[in-house]
Amino acid sequence: MDHHARARMLETPLSVDACIDAVKHQGAGAVCVFIGCVRDHTLKEGAGGTPGTVAVVKLDYEAYADMAEKVIGAIVVEAEERWPGVRGFVQHRTGTLAIGDLAVVIACSAPHRAEAFAACRHVIERLKEDAPIWKREHGDDGVTWVGLGP
Amino acid sequence: MDHHARARMLETPLSVDACIDAVKHQGAGAVCVFIGCVRDHTLKEGAGGTPGTVAVVKLDYEAYADMAEKVIGAIVVEAEERWPGVRGFVQHRTGTLAIGDLAVVIACSAPHRAEAFAACRHVIERLKEDAPIWKREHGDDGVTWVGLGP
Amino acid sequence: RRCYADDVVTVLYFAAAREKAGLSSERLALPPDASVAELLAAVQARHPALTEVLPRCRVAIDQSFAAADARVPEGAEVALIPPVAGG
Amino acid sequence: RRCYADDVVTVLYFAAAREKAGLSSERLALPPDASVAELLAAVQARHPALTEVLPRCRVAIDQSFAAADARVPEGAEVALIPPVAGG
């Protein structure tokens, strides 16, 4: 199974066009692209549990790159097997990202839109569960590892 | 309501980047893009109702352009009102398209992915119901207006 | 409103309707306060070739979809919208 | 397999685990046929600062997630995977 053909960890800016080109073909009538980018705020459990927003300055993305490509590649294969006719490709960024920078681009093509949407959504949800990738958030409340909680 | 800012009928090739730029902003952590392109085949009710595939050579897209921009713009506003925080933008092509050419690009940004996916899907589904756009399919079984049936 | 004079509207034909009618638009005189249904009957009479596609068309008045009982105002731009196929 | 000699594995520390352990990787000698649980205990002993994050870590052996009862083969690359946050 060639993960490398389906998932790439990059230390350089991502390319939406490259991801589309990787999956587009004459039999595909639909391509769904998901782009995750660095937002300027995040929700934080404030003191006393009241949800507040925290301004984000930048994010450092770290990855266990080889495993991440394997895991994400396998997730794309999962989607291709579950929705026949789908082709998927993912780029994920590592390093320090500013607000607005692209952290992940997922492109899924299919003959019809239903499968393209479903596969694309599947990949981002599963990626967030299993891809060995972490982000350190530099917010105005200090620096924290996302997902580690208080 | 400024439809024009949300939907554009174009006789020239579409631009995914332009659609992304139209909706991306610092508060958006997610952008979902749907691309509809001309497929090299289509399913056709063959004689006796057996579904067969027909090779497609090209498609001619025709539109009632002014109304189409209004209708699609209103559909995007519908999505923005239904999923707060969403911004949407659509480009739709008219004229003669070859296999692989982009017929529609829909970009929806949102703080989080769920709303971006939902809004993007909403727009393509509603667009296919109400946008006054037609396509004449040049297939190896002759020329037919899609959706008009036998 | 002028009394007893016809309303003149513009009718636009798209896709299969244009093909069957053999023209993309024309001006049509209608009795005042005519309904969409009455307009369709007039169009049908002028273009018998539309018999098949007309029942499948929606109608837009000044770029908004209109029901069969809607009134067609003087000078309106009326469009015949065959089954659509965008995207 | 060598008898009675320890298995030597490489342990990789990522994100919060690296930060708490103060290093990104190290070689660790384990009794032969050690389980993931035994490896974690050894890591805990060496790096008390990991006490908080360790229970929240998954473990990968040669880049595949491994259960607590999995065996750690000689020469394996073992990674401590704190809660992930990709995308």
Side-chain angles (χ1 to χ4, degrees), chain C residues 10-22:
Chain C
T10 305
V11 182
L12 304 179
Y13 299 90
F14 288 101
R18 184 193 65 256
E19 219 168 63
K20 291 285 185 342

Side-chain angles (χ1 to χ4, degrees), chain B residues 33-50:
Chain B
V33 180
F34 175 76
I35 298 162
C37 36
V38 179
R39 211 179 35 243
D40 62 3
H41 67 283
T42 187
L43 282 184
K44 272 284 174 51
E45 276 284 312
T50 52

Side-chain angles (χ1 to χ4, degrees), chain B residues 66-100:
Chain B
D66 286 351
M67 181 179 174
E69 283 190 355
K70 283 199 176 73
V71 167
I72 298 172
I75 289 170
V76 172
V77 168
E78 239 173 59
E80 292 174 349
E81 285 167 353
R82 183 165 162 189
W83 289 284
V86 162
R87 284 193 202 176
F89 186 76
V90 180
Q91 287 185 347
H92 198 295
R93 193 55 204 290
T94 57
T96 299
L97 274 64
I99 303 305

Side-chain angles (χ1 to χ4, degrees), chain B residues 16-32:
Chain B
V16 173
D17 291 338
C19 293
I20 293 172
D21 292 346
V23 299
K24 199 167 173 295
H25 60 91
Q26 301 213 329
V31 180
C32 181

Side-chain angles (χ1 to χ4, degrees), chain B residues 64 67 70, chain C residues 60-64 73-79:
Chain B
Y64 183 7
M67 181 179 174
K70 283 199 176 73
Chain C
I61 297 179
D62 295 330
Q63 302 185 5
S64 295
E74 156 64 26
E77 178 181 280
V78 181

Side-chain angles (χ1 to χ4, degrees), chain B residues 133-134 148, chain C residues 14-18 53 56-58 80-85:
Chain B
I133 299 169
W134 299 270
L148 206 53
Chain C
F14 288 101
R18 184 193 65 256
V53 73
R56 309 194 57 195
C57 287
R58 286 182 278 181
L80 296 187
I81 314 277
V84 300

